[in-house]
Amino acid sequence: MGRVGLSTERLTRAGAELADEVGFDQVTVSALARQFDVKVASLYSHVKNSQDLRTRIALLALEELADRGAAALAGRAGKDALSALANVYRDYAREHPGRYAAAQLRLTPEAAAVSAGGRHAQMTRAVLRGYDLSEPDQTHAVRLLGSVFHGYITLELGGGFSHSAPDTQETWTRVLDALDALLRNWPAS
């Protein structure tokens, strides 16, 4: 039996907090055992291995992001919805850099099937309904938005914009304006 108070959920949340503190790549079962001052073996009744722990953290992060996104999108359309969703990702990444990194983990097909990943795609498609794109353009636009959001956020978190003017918020606003303009005038296939 595992140590009193330890559960899969508690270990997952502790792993997510550790990811935010030291980086997702540094999260292992051993690191978590040190944090709880227990032997590594005592955690194996709750998580299979470090990959299982990392997958659970990714699933948690995807769920948290999806919940925030759904709340932010309620009642919004067009550019307002686009900005709301983009800001959810950016704000989450700033608050939880390790969890944000975890949300990028490539999941097995089984884990992906039970993840909130589908909710993320649905939210992005909901935003795009305000731009009247049909397939395959809508799929292209989903990929574009994901790439721009993630690329900008990753560069910003890594300090890529910290040594030059203008302020990154000004650039972020301009990026969202440009995406809105592109989506409104999407080139014909």
Side-chain angles (χ1 to χ4, degrees):
M1 178 142 184
R3 184 177 173 116
V4 176
L6 293 182
S7 67
T8 303
E9 182 180 341
R10 184 170 180 211
L11 293 173
T12 301
R13 292 203 172 276
E17 290 170 16
L18 184 61
D20 288 338
E21 293 170 19
V22 300
F24 182 60
D25 291 339
Q26 302 302 311
V27 175
T28 63
V29 173
S30 297
L32 207 51
R34 284 190 299 277
Q35 183 172 330
F36 281 99
D37 196 27
V38 298
K39 295 188 185 299
V40 172
S42 66
L43 301 186
Y44 288 130
S45 60
H46 305 288
V47 294
K48 294 176 192 170
N49 51 38
S50 291
Q51 185 59 37
D52 180 43
L53 174 62
R54 292 166 54 80
T55 297
R56 290 174 186 280
I57 295 166
L59 294 173
L60 173 67
L62 287 167
E63 190 73 32
E64 289 175 343
L65 266 167
D67 289 346
R68 286 185 181 198
L73 286 176
R76 298 177 191 258
K79 183 172 182 235
D80 191 33
L82 173 69
S83 295
L85 185 61
N87 286 325
V88 162
Y89 287 114
R90 187 174 181 227
D91 292 345
Y92 187 82
R94 289 170 156 184
E95 293 170 34
H96 301 290
R99 293 179 202 204
Y100 182 77
Q104 310 311 313
L105 182 70
R106 183 177 184 148
L107 300 173
T108 64
E110 298 78 25
V114 299
S115 79
R119 287 177 61 200
H120 289 268
Q122 290 171 349
M123 287 186 300
T124 305
R125 288 182 185 278
V127 167
L128 293 173
R129 279 196 292 273
Y131 294 98
D132 197 32
L133 298 176
S134 57
E135 286 299 343
D137 292 329
Q138 191 176 91
T139 296
H140 296 313
V142 167
R143 293 172 180 168
L144 171 71
L145 294 179
S147 299
V148 172
F149 296 167
H150 179 65
Y152 191 93
I153 290 165
T154 301
L155 288 168
E156 184 178 39
L157 285 177
F161 306 137
S162 62
H163 301 293
S164 62
D167 179 73
T168 58
Q169 180 58 45
E170 183 179 338
T171 304
W172 180 249
T173 301
R174 303 243 354 223
V175 165
L176 296 179
D177 289 344
L179 286 172
D180 176 63
L182 173 63
L183 292 169
R184 289 185 189 288
N185 299 294
W186 190 265
S189 298

